[in-house]
């Protein structure tokens, strides 16, 4: 394969990754707390040697998929009326404990398990500011539950505990698990959010803009098709050249 083919393949590989990320964003455009992902591309410059090369031919640019990063822009907050639906207005993440350790989430759709523990849709326990599961006593379970903007959970009998919000210095060190959980690189990297604002009876929607993502997918698909056509054209040209040489040799 010659230089043209390698250049086209490098671009096709990058575009394929971009399509995968965009498709995943679109699939989760209605997932509460979902944060869209972006792909970071860069050019790898290969300097060509030879005195006969023109100036424009001395450097070749290959595409590289360098990384995928999170867009942490806050999604729209919407009213649900469910007292166990929680939304964070500002920075930070809810902490839940999975079987693999502490995970972070912006999806505040919680419910009570059979033993009174507040859990997410996967059954992971919601943690307080001491990183302990929040469990309501049988007496508290029958009383209206209030959750203040400062995270204090209480009933008419008094305060129960305080929600713990955490964050990391660099959100791009978080690893996505499923469609709403994030795994910190190290639990020691977690730090408390000093000024938190929690909204009870609300949920944060996905921050994906379906119109923008659909437009990006169409644009990427068109560029993919153009590069694939270029690759096919170059392959056909080389085959024709080989057939012509073979014909001249046998003539």
């Amino acid at each position: 394969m010659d230089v043209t083919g390698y250049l086209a393949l490098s671009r096709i590989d990058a575009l394929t990754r971009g399509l995968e990320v965009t498709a995943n964003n679109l699939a989760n455009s209605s997932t509460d707390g979902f944060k869209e992902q972006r792909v970071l591309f860069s050019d790898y410059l290969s300097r060509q040697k030879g005195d006969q090369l023109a100036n424009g031919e001395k450097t070749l640019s290959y595409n590289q998929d360098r990384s995928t990063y999170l867009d942490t822009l806050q999604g729209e907050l919407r009213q649900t009326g469910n007292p166990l639906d929680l939304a964070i207005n500002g920075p930070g993440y809810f902490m839940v404990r999975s079987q693999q350790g502490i995970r972070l989430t912006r999806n505040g759709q919680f419910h009570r398990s059979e033993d009174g523990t507040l859990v997410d849709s996967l059954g992971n326990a919601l943690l307080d500011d001491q990183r302990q599961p929040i469990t309501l006593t049988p007496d508290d379970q029958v009383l209206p539950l209030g959750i203040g903007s400062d995270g204090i959970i209480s009933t008419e009998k008094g305060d129960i505990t305080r929600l713990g919000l955490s964050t990391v210095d660099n959100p791009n060190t978080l690893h996505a698990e499923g469609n709403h959980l994030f795994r910190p690189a190290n639990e020691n990297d977690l730090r408390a959010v000093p000024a938190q604002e929690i909204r009870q009876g609300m949920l944060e929607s996905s921050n994906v803009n379906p119109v923008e993502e659909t437009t990006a997918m169409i644009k990427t698909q068109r560029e993919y098709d153009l590069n694939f056509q270029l690759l096919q054209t170059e392959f056909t040209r080389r085959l024709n050249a080989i057939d012509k040489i073979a014909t001249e040799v046998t003539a």
Side-chain angles (χ1 to χ4, degrees):
M1 185 179 296
D2 62 7
V3 171
T4 303
Y6 284 120
L7 290 174
L9 279 177
S10 73
R11 186 57 181 159
I12 287 174
D13 183 63
L15 291 170
T16 299
R17 177 57 181 158
L19 283 172
E20 291 174 351
V21 171
T22 302
N24 184 61
N25 287 340
L26 277 173
N28 287 283
S29 61
S30 60
T31 300
D32 293 323
F34 180 81
K35 298 300 177 186
E36 68 178 342
Q37 295 180 317
R38 299 293 185 188
V39 181
L40 180 63
F41 297 113
S42 68
D43 290 333
Y44 171 76
L45 301 181
S46 174
R47 298 193 177 278
Q48 307 301 297
K49 297 179 180 180
D51 296 335
Q52 304 302 317
L53 295 174
N55 288 335
E57 297 175 338
K58 291 184 178 180
T59 302
L60 297 178
S61 177
Y62 295 88
N63 279 120
Q64 286 184 310
D65 173 10
R66 295 303 296 259
S67 64
T68 303
Y69 63 94
L70 286 175
D71 181 351
T72 57
L73 181 69
Q74 180 173 309
E76 180 183 354
L77 304 186
R78 72 178 194 279
Q79 194 83 33
T80 66
N82 187 334
L84 292 183
D85 284 345
L86 306 174
I88 302 171
N89 185 33
Y93 299 84
F94 296 110
M95 291 187 296
V96 297
R97 186 175 298 282
S98 70
Q99 294 181 349
Q100 291 74 37
I102 292 179
R103 297 295 183 261
L104 304 181
T105 182
R106 293 280 298 194
N107 187 339
Q109 193 171 32
F110 301 106
H111 63 275
R112 280 194 289 261
S113 65
E114 292 182 356
D115 66 352
T117 301
L118 301 186
V119 297
D120 65 8
S121 59
L122 299 176
N124 301 315
L126 177 63
L127 304 183
D128 61 16
D129 57 355
Q130 300 301 312
R131 300 186 182 181
Q132 297 299 315
I134 298 175
T135 301
L136 305 179
T137 65
D139 290 340
D140 289 331
Q141 292 182 45
V142 298
L143 298 174
L145 193 69
I147 302 176
S149 61
D150 58 355
I152 296 294
I153 301 176
S154 63
T155 65
E156 59 187 33
K157 294 174 60 178
D159 295 346
I160 299 174
T161 187
R162 187 172 189 264
L163 271 172
L165 297 188
S166 288
T167 188
V168 293
D169 291 328
N170 183 4
N172 289 317
T173 61
L174 297 176
H175 301 274
E177 290 186 355
N179 55 18
H180 72 274
L181 293 181
F182 301 100
R183 172 174 57 85
N186 190 318
E187 290 187 8
N188 294 328
D189 295 336
L190 297 177
R191 58 179 178 82
V193 177
Q196 58 188 35
E197 183 180 350
I198 296 174
R199 304 284 183 85
Q200 185 179 19
M202 302 184 75
L203 287 175
E204 179 184 354
S205 301
S206 167
N207 68 350
V208 174
N209 185 318
V211 176
E212 290 182 358
E213 292 299 307
T214 301
T215 302
M217 174 173 281
I218 293 173
K219 181 180 178 181
T220 304
Q221 185 64 56
R222 286 175 177 171
E223 188 175 352
Y224 180 96
D225 293 340
L226 287 173
N227 279 271
F228 192 75
Q229 290 172 13
L230 173 62
L231 195 62
Q232 288 182 314
T233 300
E234 181 63 17
F235 181 72
T236 301
R237 184 190 67 79
R238 291 176 63 84
L239 282 181
N240 291 338
I242 293 173
D243 290 340
K244 183 178 180 180
I245 294 173
T247 301
E248 291 176 352
V249 170
T250 56

